Amino acid sequence: LAAARARGRVADHVLLCGPPGLGKTTMAMIIAAEMAAPLRITSGPAVQHAGDLAAILSSVSEGDVLFFDEIHRMARPAEEMLYTAMEDCRDDVTLVGATTRTGLLPGPLRDRFGFTGQLDLYEPGELEQVLVRSARLLTVTVRADGVREIAKRSRGTPRIANRLLRRVRDFAEVRADGVVTGAVARAGLKVYEVDELGLDRLDRSLLDALCRRFGGGPVGLGTLAVALSEERETVEEVAEPFLVRAGLLARTPR
């Protein structure tokens, strides 16, 4: 970005990849701020026809940063039109794409991004920095042990950390003196059913069903979803990724 500014040119197109809640939208805002450029925001699901993309591109001005969230969900006709647009707009507009599923992007589209950034889950110490800043913005008094307690239960994800901080703040204001200490954080997160590993009710129900009803598995996704009274997509998209990363669940090809 500094090199692009020094040349007086727009930055190259940027692709941001990683799980939800790690700050891809925030990174796009930072890119726009660093380039002192307006940020235009749209998303893949909003672009279902080539005409939708044409309308978006006609509304951007030279030097703008155009942010495409969930770019992998764009319709194929619009995707193919975007190939050409990215080449034509290379010197006028910076396109920032964000995706949680890089593998769904066609190779020709991925190759047109000049830089690909992979966002990883945060370490607890990094989340503590996020929480301290968020507490300052929310004007919440948080002790170091309270920050630690929330950070270690946040699954390495800033979005979850900020959500838990707001809920613990509510608990502290009603049930305590408004100060988030370690004890208050533990008590508040117990009310919201978030345990020491960051597991919530759905996670524990899934593990309980897998271990007790099905003898540790293996068990099919559909059967497990019925046992939990949840949709297959909820089990696969909401609960499974973290449990697999945490080593609490093994996934077979079936």
Side-chain angles (χ1 to χ4, degrees):
L1 298 180
R5 283 201 310 270
R7 291 193 301 267
R9 306 289 294 275
V10 300
D12 211 346
H13 302 313
V14 177
L15 180 64
L16 302 172
C17 316
L22 297 191
K24 294 184 288 296
T25 303
T26 302
M27 287 296 296
M29 293 176 178
I30 290 170
I31 290 171
E34 288 292 312
M35 298 304 294
L39 178 67
R40 312 286 184 182
I41 299 177
T42 187
S43 67
V47 182
Q48 293 305 307
H49 307 282
D52 297 333
L53 180 62
I56 292 168
L57 293 175
S58 65
S59 68
V60 297
S61 305
E62 185 173 346
D64 286 358
V65 174
L66 176 60
F67 177 56
F68 259 99
D69 198 10
E70 296 185 272
I71 195 170
H72 62 274
R73 294 179 60 188
M74 190 184 307
R76 185 52 55 90
E79 226 169 49
E80 292 170 355
M81 180 181 176
L82 186 60
Y83 300 161
T84 307
M86 289 176 73
E87 295 292 346
D88 293 345
C89 297
R90 188 171 294 276
D91 296 327
D92 303 320
V93 174
T94 298
L95 175 68
V96 180
T99 178
T100 55
R101 306 182 71 177
T102 315
L104 295 183
L105 286 179
L109 181 56
R110 285 199 308 271
D111 294 343
R112 281 172 168 79
F113 287 97
F115 175 80
T116 299
Q118 179 68 47
L119 280 72
D120 295 321
L121 296 175
Y122 290 52
E123 296 295 327
E126 295 168 334
L127 285 177
E128 288 178 25
Q129 295 180 51
V130 173
L131 286 166
V132 168
R133 175 184 178 276
S134 298
R136 188 168 64 248
L137 294 175
L138 294 170
T139 62
V140 182
T141 304
V142 184
R143 302 289 182 239
D145 56 346
V147 169
R148 263 195 312 274
E149 197 66 44
I150 297 171
K152 74 180 184 181
R153 302 184 189 214
S154 298
R155 303 183 178 221
T157 306
R159 183 182 294 164
I160 294 176
N162 287 329
R163 174 167 56 81
L164 295 181
L165 174 63
R166 288 193 294 271
R167 298 291 68 77
V168 170
R169 172 198 60 181
D170 295 343
F171 179 87
E173 289 177 355
V174 175
R175 301 284 180 88
D177 59 0
V179 178
V180 178
T181 62
V184 169
R186 283 191 292 274
L189 292 171
K190 184 176 181 181
V191 169
Y192 296 115
E193 300 185 85
V194 178
D195 70 12
E196 290 83 356
L197 297 178
L199 304 182
D200 59 19
R201 182 200 59 80
L202 175 61
D203 300 322
R204 290 192 299 274
S205 298
L206 188 153
L207 292 173
D208 184 71
L210 189 63
C211 293
R212 295 178 188 274
R213 298 189 206 178
F214 302 108
V219 59
L221 174 62
T223 305
L224 193 56
V226 170
L228 296 173
S229 301
E230 296 283 357
E231 296 293 328
R232 293 167 60 106
E233 292 78 13
T234 303
V235 175
E236 193 170 24
E237 300 292 335
V238 178
E240 182 182 282
F242 177 69
L243 293 176
V244 171
R245 286 198 304 269
L248 297 171
L249 189 69
R251 178 173 175 160
T252 74
R254 300 179 60 187

